[in-house]
Every structure is written in C-alpha cells, then in structure tokens.
Amino acid sequence: MHDKELSSLTSVFSRRWPGASTGKQGKVRSNGLGVYALGPEDTVHWTEAHPLVTAESQASVLNSFGYFWKQRASKRIWLEKSPPNLHMGRFLQALFNLGLGNKWDVGPGVALEPLRSSSAVKFIWISRHPIANALAHRALPECADLSVKSLVKHWVVAHEYANADLPYLADVKQLTLEAFVTEPLTHLTDLWAWLGLEPDPKQEELKKALARRVRRDPNAKYRGSYCRQALGSPSQARDHQRLVKELNPRVTALSGLGYDLDEWPCLAGVASLAKQAKQGQDTKTEL
C-alpha cells in the first residue's frame, strides 16, 4: 500500500489522486481532477502522522522535481503547485522539514500540537468562488462528466480539510482570486515580501507588468452562464436552491474566504422563479 502511495505521490501531475464521484450520466470515477478530495479521509487528508513521512519519501519527492529545480539551482524559492497540496499541507510540511532539526522535524508517525513557527515550506492558498471554480473545471475534458453540484462539493471538502489544518501550519497565506484581481500589484508586493524577496528595480517592473496582465473579472463568463441556466426554468431555479441549501452553510463557515453560493446579483430572480415549479413535477435536471 505504501509503495503504491509513494508512487502516486511522486507523480504529482498524473491526475490519479484518490477520491470518488458520480458524473451527470451516473458514471463513477475514482480519481482525478474534480474528485480526488472525496475519498475516505485517510487516503486524502495526509498529516505529519502519515507513515510516509520518511527520508526515502522526501528524497523521492525532491528527485521527482530535481530536473527542473537543478536548472535553477541559484533560485532561493522552489515552487510546486499541485491542487492536492490544499489538503496535504501538514504531511508536506513534515516531509520537507525532515532532517532540518527544527521543531517541524517531527519524524515519522508523530502528530503535532497546534503551533506556529518557522518552517522550510510555505503555503499560498488561492481560492476561487466555488461555482466559478466548478464551471472552469467542467470546461476540461476530465471533468465534463461531473455536475456543478459534485464539483462544488469537492471544492468544499478540500477547503474544509485545509481550514482544519490551519492551526498546524507554520506559514500559510490565504488569498481569493476575486480579491487578488482587484489590486494585483498590492497583493504581488505583499506576497513577495512574505516570501522574503528583497525589492529591486527589476522586480518592481516585473510586478507592474504582471499586474497589467490580470483580468479584472475572471468569473464574468461563468457567472453569466450559470445565472442564465439557473434562471432558464423553474426546475433549474430549484436546482440552484437545492445546491444552496445543501452546501452553502459549509461554504460560508470556511474562515477567511467570505464566499456565498447565493451572492451573485444575477441570481436575485431565482426564488420567485422556483415558486412556479410544482412540487413533485420538477424535471430531473442537475446544474
């Protein structure tokens, strides 16, 4: 089992992350984009107590990216951006600190008490509105068979794991895409300072150039598409209401994000339209 997990761990971009989900046509997938966080917690939510917190695992993970990092040996910061990092933070923190002799070097199988201190690894969590995130995923071939509801649930579960892990992680920066695009230069400056990058003229010009490339409303097309569908018929309006009823309490309970499944102004007419749907006669559609 551990050999298989280690193989999966070092193939970060293999899209064979554990999980389970049902698509719109009833097709079940057990791994990959849009489903990997929905499996049993012990296969998804890894912590410092995981038996793979070993020197062998550390070497395997580092070597899997060694070719790329070796080309940039002079760089102070190495970046790895796989989505499952969101619910594997405690495991990765322990793995990358192993052998460094700091308080995060806990060794295998040791659970930490909640605390904060310096660490060899930092986490930047950038979240997007769950419905926009779901629609962006559905545009990918790997997720075309999944419903919005299933993808929003996946988003919620992954964020709940991350939220629970916050007290155990030394260095985490939470940021929403929506906040970033409103003031990209401010957030880039903040992130670079948090990473310990010294300001210089070249960096300032790079940050300004990057900021100019940011789209100010990246959710616009998804918001429009979803609202048109939710307002397309009484039954589809009720579908949205069911989504809100089932998952919105969990969305709004997540700290530091401020999302709400009902927050888009274009959804204002959903409630009145849904009343037109007679109970027991709704068409079985799923957004």
Side-chain angles (χ1 to χ4, degrees):
M1 174 180 174
H2 290 163
D3 288 343
K4 182 178 180 181
E5 288 176 332
L6 183 58
S7 175
S8 174
L9 179 66
T10 58
S11 301
V12 180
F13 296 103
S14 67
R15 298 187 179 182
R16 296 195 59 80
W17 303 308
S21 185
T22 303
K24 287 189 69 177
Q25 309 303 320
K27 179 182 178 182
V28 175
R29 289 200 286 117
S30 61
N31 49 49
L33 286 173
V35 299
Y36 56 81
L38 297 177
E41 182 171 358
D42 62 342
T43 69
V44 175
H45 185 211
W46 292 14
T47 73
E48 62 280 343
H50 197 284
L52 282 177
V53 180
T54 64
E56 178 188 3
S57 298
Q58 184 191 68
S60 181
V61 172
L62 291 174
N63 286 336
S64 68
F65 295 101
Y67 171 80
F68 303 99
W69 288 338
K70 184 178 180 180
Q71 310 309 309
R72 298 163 179 83
S74 63
K75 304 301 181 183
R76 291 176 50 201
I77 296 172
W78 295 348
L79 173 67
E80 202 292 300
K81 62 180 187 69
S82 298
N85 294 348
L86 187 64
H87 52 83
M88 295 177 65
R90 290 170 64 180
F91 169 81
L92 293 170
Q93 177 174 260
L95 192 67
F96 283 106
N97 281 287
L98 194 64
L100 297 183
N102 60 25
K103 64 177 62 180
W104 296 99
D105 179 6
V106 297
V110 179
L112 288 172
E113 293 297 324
L115 50 82
R116 291 184 181 273
S117 180
S118 60
S119 168
V121 60
K122 294 174 179 280
F123 297 93
I124 303 173
W125 292 342
I126 303 178
S127 301
R128 187 178 197 173
H129 190 284
I131 294 177
N133 182 74
L135 293 177
H137 274 70
R138 289 191 71 189
L140 302 173
E142 300 92 332
C143 298
D145 62 323
L146 300 176
S147 68
V148 170
K149 180 179 177 181
S150 173
L151 288 164
V152 170
K153 182 179 180 181
H154 180 265
W155 182 100
V156 169
V157 171
H159 281 77
E160 285 176 337
Y161 285 138
N163 206 58
D165 286 350
L166 276 174
Y168 299 86
L169 298 175
D171 293 294
V172 180
K173 178 73 72 173
Q174 287 184 285
L175 183 61
T176 67
L177 177 63
E178 294 79 9
F180 178 82
V181 298
T182 60
E183 296 183 281
L185 185 57
T186 298
H187 287 293
L188 281 172
T189 300
D190 179 52
L191 285 171
W192 287 26
W194 178 69
L195 290 170
L197 296 173
E198 298 295 331
D200 65 48
K202 290 183 179 180
Q203 286 185 2
E204 293 305 310
E205 289 304 314
L206 175 60
K207 283 188 289 187
K208 290 178 181 178
L210 291 172
R212 287 193 293 268
R213 294 171 57 186
V214 173
R215 287 182 293 146
R216 299 299 175 172
D217 190 1
N219 293 339
K221 70 174 182 178
Y222 298 121
R223 185 171 57 248
S225 173
Y226 184 83
C227 288
R228 285 191 296 273
Q229 187 169 356
L231 294 168
S233 70
S235 64
Q236 289 174 309
R238 285 173 65 85
D239 284 342
H240 173 70
Q241 287 188 321
R242 294 188 189 101
L243 175 69
V244 172
K245 182 178 180 180
E246 181 176 336
L247 294 174
N248 207 40
R250 294 168 67 179
V251 170
T252 57
L254 294 167
S255 64
L257 298 180
Y259 289 125
D260 189 309
L261 297 178
D262 236 358
E263 68 182 278
W264 288 343
C266 56
L267 292 170
V270 165
S272 59
L273 181 60
K275 291 178 181 178
Q276 300 176 27
K278 294 181 179 180
Q279 189 172 4
Q281 295 184 1
D282 288 350
T283 304
K284 293 252 179 182
T285 61
E286 189 174 8
L287 291 171

